Amino acid sequence: MKTSQTLRLALLLLCLFGLTACVGGRIGVSWPSIGLIDLNGEQHIALAYNNDVALLTPSNGLPARLLNPVNGQPLRDNDGNPRSWIFRGSDNGGGQFYAQPIPIAPETMLIADNNSRLLLVDTVVLDVKRSLPIEGKVVASMLAADGLLYVPFQDGGLAAYALDGLRELWRVPTEEGVWAKPLLVGDLLIFPSLDHYLYAVDRETGRERWKVDLGGGIASTPLLARDRLYVGSFNKRFFEISLEGDILSSYETQNWVWGTPAIDANDIVYLTDLSGYVHALDTEAGLALRWSQHIAERGIRAGPLVVGDRVIVASRDGKVYWLHRDDGALINAREIDDRPELLGDMLLLEPSATLDIDEPLLLVTSVHDGRLLIAFGIDGRQTWVYPR
């Protein structure tokens, strides 16, 4: 990585990670990760951040209860209180968690921590069955598929493990860190690195198929659409790339692109940058500009969501914005109390009997312990808040 790029990246990370006055003394080194996960035949929100991994009930944001597998009654602590599904790093070797947990058996979950460990966790009683040392810290979510586990490492490289026994099978080195979940496309495993390269390797052997230099660090999972890859980098550019590794088109942004873009049914792709802009590009016209709007007071790290005729973005300025998909005009803005930074990717939950929700639910994470996860209706009405 070029020296000037490395210095700029270091300064940004100091701001994002709270090591300077840019953020006001944050604790931790990342932002919350959210996803959906099955527990006891029901789907829950998985929230990983700092010292905790919690499974939450979508309808109200409350932690799931630990249940006795024999009689289905709540498990209780020594004081007789029902136990909640919160796996605490403080009780498990000081672990810190920024990646989504992965179920690998009916009562077993795999959790990666930032202390260079893979933890096999009993989901019934939250005990660690096995702790496996690995050669690297993990800040991005892993990928499990067809008996293999792909693990990206904070300081560089990606490794494949056999889920049966968790033995390392192969490793691909990179000069800088891999800070995004890998993407599987057929027999290709595709992943970005801060060393400027987007890599494609054979999913079974790790043999390199191709790599392409995007001129700056890459910290997001590419979007796959129309058999093309769409991804931005830290050189203020956004790219359309073929599955053979050829750059087909590019677009210049106002600042670094960090989040994964979104695309609509008309093949318009939407992306954000760290100067607070939202851009809409036509993928059928070589990433021709449809519109670009300066929306937020601070940078937008997370990728956008497209919901109906709306584009939704969450910003470092502590606000969530609803834009019109056709022209980027502002429809609504919701300010989170105390305006904490909104850095993590958002999650949209569609109405579902399994989730026990009747209306779409927008989940937004912040770095404020009092409002770590905020749920909104699509109209911007706040539904519930999860405080750690």
Side-chain angles (χ1 to χ4, degrees), residues 14-15 18-25 298 316:
L14 286 175
C15 290
L19 301 178
T20 72
C22 302
V23 178
R298 302 184 67 188
R316 293 186 64 199

Side-chain angles (χ1 to χ4, degrees), residues 364-378:
V364 179
T365 63
S366 86
V367 295
H368 191 300
D369 277 351
R371 45 194 64 88
L372 198 58
L373 181 61
I374 308 103
F376 293 97
I378 292 304

Side-chain angles (χ1 to χ4, degrees), residues 274-294:
L274 291 182
S275 283
Y277 280 79
V278 183
H279 312 267
L281 311 177
D282 189 340
T283 64
E284 293 188 343
L287 299 183
L289 179 65
R290 292 289 293 267
W291 54 260
S292 178
Q293 296 281 11
H294 189 198

